[in-house]
Amino acid sequence: MRGAKSAKWVVGATIVALAATACGGGGSDSKGSTGSKSNGIVSMEIGEPQNTLIPSNTYETEGAEVISTLFTGLTKLNEKNEVVNDLAQSIDTKDSKVWTIKLKPGYTFHNGEAVTAKSFVDAWNYGANQENAQQTNAMFSHIQGYTDLNPGEKKKVTTKAMSGLKAVDDTTLQVTLDAPFSAFPTQLSFYGFAPLPKVFYDNPKAFGEAPIGNGPYKMSGSFKHNESISVVKYDKYPTASSYAVKGINFKIYSNSDTSYKDLVAGNLDIDDSIPTSGLATYKNDLGSRAIDESDSGVGYIGFPLKYNKAFENKDLRKAISMAIDRKTIADKIFLGSRMPADDFISPIIEGYRQGACGDACTLNAAKAKELYKKSGGLPNDTLEIGYNADGDHKGWIEAVANQIQQNLGIKVTAKPFEQFQTILNDLDAKKYGGAFRMGWNMDYPNMENYLRPIFSKDAIANGSNYAGYTNEKFEQLLKDGDQATTSEAAIKKYQEADDVLLDEMPYIPVYFYKLNAGYSSKIKSMKIAGGQVLWDTVKLS
């Protein structure tokens, strides 16, 4: 998610987690805590979402935090980061190509409309139609008939539905894919596959300001941009009794330092993005309320390859990568809350290979200069790196800029964008030609999710391929991995696709994330998986 995302593109330098293991930290629990009992309402820090609150048009971590409370999909991640059925009663297939999904009874949208198989069919057709320009469009590319809804730029769509989707009856959904894809149930845990009510299609723009979902929480009022989004528990949700939190006030911050100060002061209940300024003290500040866990995120430096020819030489990109001292960034800037990246795949995902990036991800100033000279260099020997200033990225981006400047002997500047959505929109519109900071947090726990949504052709027009990167060998290896008959065979092909990226470096992997988060004394315990708080695990004091 770009946010990194999922996956998602990651707005914050420190993001949400996944494998739910023991909370770290020690020391006093008293600092910064009001010690007050909860009234059932908690507050959580987010940044301004890029778009309005529509599942298929939300592909970053901030909007996703809200979407995950408002909508329920067919599968989900549990506390152990395992994919389990959610609204799906069963998901069956004989060949990994034709899938029959039975829905659980009793789920309704917040306006009372029943959730049916057609609710999913219509939502997925809308998300996959290029005319609707949804951010998660490419996620539907496995479904038969996807290309009919995506004939290409400036070409007219002549149908409104994918041939692979069929609502057999109200509780039976049949999905036919273009080819076998064994990870399909895993992919369904991504919220972009959520259902939508009929009222959505009357006015999608207005819907996104006050969405009517089918999740455990419903909107309380409308989206207050750059201020807050409030939700309250939906009492008719089938498992509503398992949710202790009665309402959530998502407070929108533009500065991570401010949100952390609010957390310590007891004015904020959940902050999943401890800023670098708080990393040295947050375990002492929060005590047992500090979270230090593994995470799925990867931090990158990206290049707008499609529309800035200055970056087209892969030796140039490798030279920049080899001029970065990842260990110093992880140890000194992030105080050990990051790990130097050595692959495009997170270490917590099956298929990750330690050291896969090799020399290209290892500091070597002499070799970097040699490659830079060989590539012909950058115009005027200058490089600009853009980053979102609302996500606590200033410190590490400036450090990386200084390292590249020193090791390559060129002029490097860091350019802040006020909000994450600003730089995303400028990249979408091809307005920004500099290198840029990016991060990716998984949509679902599979290698494929670190490859196709970020670097495939399908993800250029309506997805997260901001580089505009294309490579036919990479595309074919993705297909080979999708159609592999065993998990082992799929991983092998995805690793070969990963090797293509490691050779061409459309993005530079810089670090792997860890989760550094915390919560207030109103909360007794909580878990986070796949980038979102698992709200049914939040226990109040």
Side-chain angles (χ1 to χ4, degrees):
M1 165 185 308
R2 58 183 179 184
K5 3 123 342 205
S6 346
K8 302 148 293 237
W9 287 116
V10 185
V11 64
T14 310
I15 58 164
V16 280
L18 111 119
T21 54
C23 295
S28 171
D29 190 40
S30 61
K31 287 184 177 181
S33 170
T34 61
S36 62
K37 295 293 183 181
S38 170
N39 59 359
I41 307 296
V42 302
S43 57
M44 178 174 175
E45 169 272 343
I46 62 170
E48 172 75 1
Q50 182 188 15
N51 301 308
T52 57
L53 302 171
I54 298 172
S56 58
N57 204 32
T58 298
Y59 216 172
E60 40 75 29
T61 53
E62 310 312 286
E65 291 286 2
V66 184
I67 292 290
S68 70
T69 68
L70 296 172
F71 291 88
T72 292
L74 294 168
T75 64
K76 66 178 182 180
L77 297 185
N78 65 14
E79 296 177 35
K80 297 178 180 178
N81 197 38
E82 300 166 333
V83 176
V84 296
N85 287 349
D86 199 356
L87 203 150
Q89 184 82 57
S90 62
I91 302 177
D92 297 310
T93 186
K94 293 180 180 179
D95 56 7
S96 294
K97 182 177 179 180
V98 180
W99 299 81
T100 300
I101 303 168
K102 291 283 188 181
L103 307 185
K104 292 176 181 174
Y107 283 82
T108 60
F109 290 101
H110 302 149
N111 60 359
E113 177 187 336
V115 178
T116 67
K118 191 173 187 301
S119 307
F120 286 94
V121 169
D122 291 346
W124 296 5
N125 280 326
Y126 183 89
N129 192 324
Q130 70 174 34
E131 291 182 348
N132 298 324
Q134 298 295 282
Q135 294 282 357
T136 66
N137 171 294
M139 298 293 285
F140 301 97
S141 62
H142 289 291
I143 300 172
Q144 189 177 80
Y146 170 82
T147 54
D148 295 333
L149 291 181
N150 294 273
E153 193 174 359
K154 298 181 180 178
K155 294 183 179 178
K156 186 174 178 56
V157 178
T158 57
T159 181
K160 295 294 183 184
M162 290 183 280
S163 58
L165 294 181
K166 182 180 180 181
V168 178
D169 53 42
D170 281 353
T171 59
T172 308
L173 170 63
Q174 186 179 80
V175 184
T176 302
L177 307 181
D178 267 335
F181 181 41
S182 58
F184 186 58
T186 303
Q187 188 183 43
L188 293 177
S189 65
F190 179 55
Y191 50 79
F193 288 91
L196 288 169
K198 295 174 184 175
V199 68
F200 165 78
Y201 305 97
D202 294 339
N203 189 340
K205 184 177 180 181
F207 180 93
E209 298 292 341
I212 296 170
N214 68 322
Y217 294 91
K218 62 181 181 180
M219 289 290 289
S220 176
S222 298
F223 181 175
K224 298 178 181 177
H225 290 271
N226 297 301
E227 183 179 334
S228 66
I229 302 169
S230 295
V231 301
V232 296
K233 190 158 78 169
Y234 178 49
D235 291 333
K236 294 181 180 178
Y237 191 72
T239 60
S241 61
S242 63
Y243 289 80
V245 175
K246 296 179 181 177
I248 308 158
N249 180 25
F250 292 98
K251 300 174 71 172
I252 298 174
Y253 287 85
S254 60
N255 185 295
S256 298
D257 291 338
T258 304
S259 60
Y260 179 65
K261 289 176 182 175
D262 276 358
L263 176 68
V264 174
N267 298 321
L268 178 71
D269 296 318
I270 300 173
D271 188 344
D272 62 6
S273 304
I274 303 298
T276 51
S277 62
L279 289 174
T281 62
Y282 88 104
K283 292 181 181 177
N284 187 54
D285 291 341
L286 301 174
S288 61
R289 295 178 285 110
I291 298 175
D292 181 4
E293 299 176 354
S294 300
D295 188 32
S296 66
V298 184
Y300 316 98
I301 298 294
F303 305 99
L305 304 178
K306 187 175 182 180
Y307 58 93
N308 189 344
K309 299 299 182 185
F311 296 113
E312 69 180 354
N313 190 308
K314 69 178 182 182
D315 283 338
L316 172 72
R317 303 193 292 272
K318 286 184 178 178
I320 294 172
S321 178
M322 296 174 73
I324 297 173
D325 182 352
R326 290 165 174 76
K327 190 173 188 309
T328 293
I329 297 298
D331 292 347
K332 304 299 183 183
I333 302 299
F334 289 116
L335 304 178
S337 65
R338 300 289 187 277
M339 297 179 291
D342 56 3
D343 196 356
F344 277 92
I345 311 300
S346 166
I348 66 169
I349 299 296
E350 188 177 8
Y352 158 77
R353 296 165 294 167
Q354 184 175 9
C357 189
D359 290 344
C361 289
T362 303
L363 174 65
N364 187 332
K367 183 66 175 177
K369 282 184 178 177
E370 179 184 327
L371 281 177
Y372 181 80
K373 184 177 180 180
K374 177 185 174 184
S375 72
L378 289 163
N380 302 314
D381 287 333
T382 60
L383 173 66
E384 182 177 272
I385 306 175
Y387 67 95
N388 54 302
D390 61 344
D392 192 34
H393 297 291
K394 183 174 186 288
W396 80 270
I397 286 293
E398 289 186 346
V400 164
N402 288 335
Q403 290 176 351
I404 297 170
Q405 180 166 292
Q406 178 177 343
N407 292 326
L408 290 185
I410 64 176
K411 181 174 177 58
V412 185
T413 57
K415 178 181 179 179
F417 287 73
E418 184 178 1
Q419 292 183 326
F420 190 40
Q421 66 170 198
T422 311
I423 190 168
L424 290 181
N425 290 340
D426 280 4
L427 289 168
D428 268 337
K430 301 180 176 59
K431 291 181 179 178
Y432 183 62
F436 50 87
R437 166 268 158 189
M438 272 295 162
W440 183 258
N441 195 26
M442 70 172 188
D443 300 315
Y444 46 88
N446 189 283
M447 272 191 81
E448 182 264 356
N449 189 235
Y450 287 81
L451 303 172
R452 177 175 281 108
I454 319 171
F455 301 110
S456 72
K457 286 192 296 186
D458 290 340
I460 294 176
N462 296 303
S464 298
N465 187 351
Y466 287 111
Y469 173 73
T470 59
N471 182 295
E472 292 302 325
K473 182 180 179 182
F474 175 78
E475 299 286 336
Q476 184 58 52
L477 287 166
L478 286 182
K479 292 179 181 176
D480 293 346
D482 294 347
Q483 298 175 24
T485 55
T486 66
S487 173
E488 293 77 11
I491 286 174
K492 186 174 184 301
K493 289 299 178 183
Y494 291 144
Q495 287 176 336
E496 291 179 32
D498 181 31
D499 287 339
V500 173
L501 299 181
L502 292 168
D503 177 61
E504 300 211 314
M505 302 291 275
Y507 280 8
I508 293 172
V510 178
Y511 57 75
F512 295 128
Y513 279 87
K514 292 178 68 178
L515 173 66
N516 304 105
Y519 50 88
S520 77
S521 60
K522 284 184 180 178
I523 295 171
K524 186 184 302 180
S525 63
M526 58 175 282
K527 297 293 184 182
I528 301 174
Q532 274 87 49
V533 172
L534 301 180
W535 288 99
D536 56 349
T537 72
V538 179
K539 306 304 179 189
L540 301 177
S541 301

